[in-house]
Amino acid sequence: RDDLRSQDFTNANKEETMASFVEKMISPDYYKGMMNSTKTSLTNYYKPMVRAGSATPLWHMMIATSIMMYTASYVGVKGAKVQAHRQEQKLALAEYYEKHGHSGHH
């Protein structure tokens, strides 16, 4: 009987935790708080470097820009082209195997 009560409590606790997680994820205040926290962290990290004349913040900005541009390019253009090319290769290979047979060693 105690095992059933502890299971009920555990399940209720999981449901409550999940509900609070969902509420947090749809709340604009959650994202606002995360942005403020990130802004504070970045400021505390980079401000001394900028004042000292370090090149590190510049390198970090260049790397972040490159990552964002590559991702946007792949998602927007290259991804569809790559998938289309792979599909074309798959069809061509299937056609080749149909005409010439399929050997497991080649």
Side-chain angles (χ1 to χ4, degrees):
R1 204 170 220 204
D2 289 333
D3 291 338
L4 291 176
R5 286 183 188 162
S6 66
Q7 280 183 338
D8 289 341
F9 178 74
T10 304
N11 289 338
N13 196 17
K14 285 181 183 177
E15 289 174 7
E16 191 175 305
T17 302
M18 191 61 172
S20 92
F21 174 74
V22 170
E23 286 176 18
K24 210 178 353 177
M25 294 306 291
I26 61 174
S27 169
D29 292 334
Y30 172 74
Y31 295 103
K32 192 174 185 180
M34 289 296 292
M35 287 300 295
N36 287 336
S37 173
T38 302
K39 180 182 171 188
T40 302
S41 296
L42 290 173
T43 300
N44 291 339
Y45 182 75
Y46 285 112
K47 194 172 188 176
M49 286 189 227
V50 170
R51 288 188 176 193
S54 173
T56 302
L58 175 64
W59 282 104
H60 289 180
M61 285 177 19
M62 290 180 352
I63 290 168
T65 302
S66 297
I67 291 169
M68 286 187 281
M69 289 177 64
Y70 175 80
T71 302
S73 172
Y74 187 83
V75 168
V77 179
K78 292 179 185 173
K81 288 182 180 179
V82 167
Q83 291 301 323
H85 183 65
R86 287 180 184 164
Q87 185 64 27
E88 183 179 345
Q89 284 179 331
K90 187 176 178 181
L91 290 172
L93 193 58
E95 185 179 312
Y96 175 83
Y97 287 152
E98 185 179 313
K99 286 183 180 178
H100 303 286
H102 188 336
S103 169
H105 300 291
H106 299 283

